[in-house]
Amino acid sequence: MTIRSQGVRLLARKISRRGGSIVTIHDVAQHVGVSPMTVSRVINAEKNVREETRKKVLEAIKVLNYSPNMAARSLASQDSTRVALIYSNPSMSFLSEFLLGILQQSSQSGCQLLIESCEGPEGVADVLDKLRTVGVDGVILPPPLSDSTRVAKALKDMKLPFVGVATSRPLPDVSSVSIDDFKAAFAMTSRLVALGHKRIGFIKGHPNSFYSELRYNGYVEALTKAGIKVDQACVGQGYFTYRSGFDAAESLLSRPDRPTAVFASNDDMAAGAVATAHRLGLEVPDDVTIVGFDDTSMASSVWPELTTVRQPISDMAALGLKMLLEQIKSKRQGQALKPVHEIRDFAIIERQSSSAPVPDAEVGRK
Amino acid sequence: MTIRSQGVRLLARKISRRGGSIVTIHDVAQHVGVSPMTVSRVINAEKNVREETRKKVLEAIKVLNYSPNMAARSLASQDSTRVALIYSNPSMSFLSEFLLGILQQSSQSGCQLLIESCEGPEGVADVLDKLRTVGVDGVILPPPLSDSTRVAKALKDMKLPFVGVATSRPLPDVSSVSIDDFKAAFAMTSRLVALGHKRIGFIKGHPNSFYSELRYNGYVEALTKAGIKVDQACVGQGYFTYRSGFDAAESLLSRPDRPTAVFASNDDMAAGAVATAHRLGLEVPDDVTIVGFDDTSMASSVWPELTTVRQPISDMAALGLKMLLEQIKSKRQGQALKPVHEIRDFAIIERQSSSAPVPDAEVGRK
DNA sequence: GCTGGAAATGGTAGCGCTATCATGCTTGGT
DNA sequence: ACCAAGCATGATAGCGCTACCATTTCCAGC
């Protein structure tokens, strides 16, 4: 029996390799008493397999501790998908989490990854050129690129499927996964109100950014709902950088009727605001509560650690890649691309930079 | 001719797939007029190929824009190496760069990656257990794990090859890639001296950490060499955290004879020190120069941006992975593991947080 | 009970590459 | 000049999996 003798030869190899962990689809098939094809079908969740058979196979897979060989799979299925990840100067800590998610997913789905950084508008063109020559099957975009209509258009012209992660403005014909920035800002502001804050400042993000606007809108809505009037003197303009938060906070916090809480629309600006508070001799959170948005590493490295809104970045990235792979698959099957918009839940992380407002008398005592 | 008809079939596929970019080793071979084997040899830089042939092949590869199919390669060579990356709470921004390097290398060498995070000593045991069951071929360790003798011992017991990146204390029998922390600290301190600083403070890192010590030694050596006596009053103890830098700087900077420059042994502490300076009403760098170490994202997100020592993290990570893969290979061939220690060059990045000391009179003018 | 067609399963032939051995073609020592 | 030794190259056989088609099984409907 050819198969058997082959099996023996294999066995000899197995031992010399990674601790016996080379269990193939054949082993599983043999164990159950079906053909490898059937096992393959079960693995790929194809239909046309009797429920009973499927169960037996799944059990055998568990017993034998089988895990499919990605290389073989992608070779056989001609499905060596190459996905490009283009980033442009995001917060490094954001990227880090993002990469973790992407990595997890990509090793699971056995796709090749191409990481490209690009700076400035020409950078984008260069990178796209490169993608064209190298040949990729899809692109995944972290912010801020995920919000760029220019990039979106270019990719559409190239007929490349792509998914934006953490986009604020889901373009109608582009798939994306994000959180509800408006709702998150609303929730955070409401939380501050609930703590007892009446004068709540806000530091806006970059005016070009749509999610900057969403966050601001959430803030306004929450105040309005709480019956608090929005005072433009309490709203500062920032650009998502530490420095801009630093500066914006200065004008907010040096006012005699300074806010008792400041909501910065990202963590870098919040950290800058904390620095300003300290410089002005204000304690955080005793004299002023400062909260951020994103829960980047900055939020937990500064002191006091920032209360902030957390996006499940790594999950979102993984999901985004998964969506992208699905799109690529369906594109190959000639199906039209139906854009999907996934919304993930955010969470408010309470750390040491926020508290209920402390009455003046008490603060003065210090 | 079978091969030819096969080629035709292939061609039909090519068109339907990723924009014609499926050039195989056969195409290259045919183009040159040699066998696929020879091409394979050239690709893998094996010897026993005539220089003339090699050249022709390389040229054809370029002309045809061939790039090897990783899946096929790792399938054929039975070399589906799985490498685990275990990290434990490093600076996120460090991880980010680290991952970038790893990613680049891993997609180039077609190895599977397993990312695991672990917290605390039990965490390590759990993760190692997992590695055992999943089956990995090697482990790559970013700091601080790369410095852990406990982890090193555990991995050695499992007979798993591993490489530590950015280790300070290259264990004699463990491969590693790092920079010369001592030399870097020496260089940075000397730079401060060259700027004209006489009283230079230092904030130490965590006392458990060996590289913390190396950096301190570099500082001491540089001062000594410059004929400046080390004043223990100018040396603060930190723990690599922002907060600890904040606190340590307070005692250094509130002294009447405060140092005109402070060298913190990482960026987080330097950022904390900047915050303290601001809080004390000191301008950076006019009143006090503050420099860090590592060039994490923190360094360029705070304001003023930090002058710091940069490690080529992403390069180091890539190199580390490459070394690891080589070790795995040679282990499979039954060769003994010879630990290798690679040293990469660091660079001093000058940003806005450092300058020559400003004479008292001038400062007073402000 | 028999037939037709759908559902379930199996067989075969590679995916692109490399390990291995076989084969030519050089060398150089005697 | 002859043969062992060495080098450059080629032919063959899979790696583990899946696409595709062939076959078997099953059951509805007459």
Side-chain angles (χ1 to χ4, degrees), chain A residues 18 103 242 279 283 301, chain B residues 18 80 103 242 279 283 301:
Chain A
R18 193 167 52 235
L103 224 57
Y242 182 95
R279 191 199 188 96
E283 294 291 337
S301 16
Chain B
R18 193 167 52 234
S80 73
L103 224 57
Y242 182 96
R279 190 197 190 99
E283 294 291 337
S301 353

Side-chain angles (χ1 to χ4, degrees), chain B residues 67 87 93 106 161 189 194 214 226 234 240 274 279 337:
Chain B
S67 93
Y87 68 92
S93 40
S106 79
T189 311
L214 284 179
C234 282
F240 285 136
V274 169
R279 190 197 190 99
L337 297 184

Side-chain angles (χ1 to χ4, degrees), chain A residues 201-206 234-254 262-280 288 290-292 298 306, chain B residues 278 301-303:
Chain A
F202 189 84
I203 303 180
K204 289 183 182 179
H206 200 288
C234 281
V235 176
Q237 179 68 54
Y239 302 90
F240 284 137
T241 66
Y242 182 95
R243 176 69 194 274
S244 70
F246 192 90
D247 293 343
E250 179 135 25
S251 63
L252 296 189
L253 295 180
S254 51
V262 173
F263 180 10
S265 39
N266 81 347
D267 288 334
D268 281 22
M269 295 196 300
V274 168
T276 295
H278 284 163
R279 191 199 188 96
L280 295 174
V288 57
I290 294 177
V291 300
M298 178 65 98
L306 299 175
Chain B
H278 283 163
S301 353
V302 299
W303 178 81

Side-chain angles (χ1 to χ4, degrees), chain B residues 245-266:
Chain B
F246 192 91
D247 292 344
E250 179 134 25
S251 63
L252 295 189
L253 295 180
S254 52
R255 303 166 50 85
D257 58 342
R258 62 177 163 77
T260 60
V262 173
F263 181 10
S265 38
N266 80 348

